[in-house]
Amino acid sequence: QQQVKQSPQSLIVQKGGIPIINCAYENTAFDYFPWYQQFPGKGPALLIAIRPDVSEKKEGRFTISFNKSAKQFSLHIMDSQPGDSATYFCAASGMNTGNQFYFGTGTSLTVIP
Amino acid sequence: DAGITQSPRHKVTETGTPVTLRCHQTENHRYMYWYRQDPGHGLRLIHYSYGVKDTDKGEVSDGYSVSRSKTEDFLLTLESATSSQTSVYFCAISHRGGLNTEAFFGQGTRLTVV
């Protein structure tokens, strides 16, 4: 059973557009929600993370929006660039959910110049 | 980059043969994980370790075993490789498990079972 559901599976945007990737979870014990970015041939790397006590977090052009009541969170990429083309994974973890991270299925983003 | 080395980086093996993948870390992190990545499935946890000789199963552990005899090394063994185990395998490390902390990933091992 997928603990974290991610959509869309793939996304194509023009340079300068704002791609949005959505994730949803059911387990209310999750209290840490990171996003990972993966380039071809590389391992995933932490991009940005949020805790449920805030509704939004920005780091550069990347923003996480968090809706605790809906149990949803999303990644927005402002002014997207071709170099942002990668696969993005959302994830969730928590103190009482085992010593592991639960990943979404990934979104392949292509930014067209 | 975090000090994680996976070996080998690529391997082709025959069905029915045992295969061992190695993950070596220089960060002295307590937690180590093995994931497999497949199209449409994302990253799925195979096994993880929370200390020397302490391991637990993940979501897709059937057909795999692990061992951790030293803090820095975490081995993943495919006991009798099958074509369904063709995948990219990633090792990850974490200082405090899932507790509000980053997981660092290795570069991956591409395994092909023919």
Side-chain angles (χ1 to χ4, degrees), chain B residues 77-90:
Chain B
T77 297
L78 287 65
E79 295 142 8
S80 177
T82 68
S83 58
S84 65
Q85 293 175 313
T86 292
S87 186
V88 180
Y89 291 85
F90 286 98

Side-chain angles (χ1 to χ4, degrees), chain B residues 8-99:
Chain B
R9 293 292 314 279
H10 302 271
K11 185 169 182 67
V12 180
T13 192
E14 293 186 349
T15 299
T17 60
V19 177
T20 296
L21 308 183
R22 180 178 183 241
C23 178
H24 177 79
Q25 62 148 327
T26 58
E27 305 296 322
N28 200 35
H29 282 358
R30 179 182 176 189
Y31 295 87
M32 298 185 76
Y33 306 84
W34 277 108
Y35 290 90
R36 60 178 290 175
Q37 184 175 11
D38 304 287
H41 292 278
L43 293 159
R44 292 183 291 174
L45 182 65
I46 304 171
H47 283 278
Y48 70 97
S49 170
Y50 48 97
V52 173
K53 292 185 168 54
D54 292 323
T55 64
D56 206 350
K57 295 180 179 180
E59 175 188 2
V60 290
S61 59
D62 287 349
Y64 302 94
S65 62
V66 290
S67 66
R68 192 171 179 195
S69 58
K70 298 185 289 185
T71 298
E72 57 267 35
D73 289 326
F74 193 32
L75 303 180
L76 176 70
T77 297
L78 287 65
E79 295 142 8
S80 177
T82 68
S83 58
S84 65
Q85 293 175 313
T86 292
S87 186
V88 180
Y89 291 85
F90 286 98
C91 173
I93 64 174
S94 172
H95 180 50
R96 298 193 297 156
L99 302 180

Side-chain angles (χ1 to χ4, degrees), chain A:
Chain A
Q1 182 181 356
Q2 195 72 30
Q3 294 261 9
V4 179
K5 296 183 179 179
Q6 182 173 347
S7 64
Q9 185 173 349
S10 63
L11 194 53
I12 301 173
V13 299
Q14 296 279 352
K15 177 183 175 182
I18 305 176
I20 300 172
I21 305 170
N22 300 299
C23 286
Y25 65 98
E26 287 296 326
N27 191 339
T28 56
F30 289 143
D31 60 7
Y32 178 67
F33 301 90
W35 285 88
Y36 284 80
Q37 180 187 53
Q38 183 184 31
F39 293 106
K42 303 292 187 182
L46 181 67
L47 182 63
I48 185 174
I50 196 169
R51 294 192 62 187
D53 51 351
V54 297
S55 60
E56 185 175 278
K57 183 174 181 180
K58 292 182 180 180
E59 287 188 6
R61 296 183 292 106
F62 300 91
T63 300
I64 301 178
S65 298
F66 189 86
N67 185 329
K68 187 174 181 179
S69 61
K71 291 184 285 186
Q72 295 175 348
F73 58 110
S74 59
L75 177 69
H76 302 235
I77 306 176
M78 302 305 201
D79 186 27
S80 58
Q81 301 296 313
D84 296 330
S85 297
T87 299
Y88 293 82
F89 293 96
C90 60
S93 66
M95 183 177 293
N96 297 314
T97 60
N99 299 307
Q100 59 179 285
F101 302 86
Y102 297 89
F103 285 89
T105 51
T107 296
S108 175
L109 172 66
T110 302
V111 181
I112 300 171

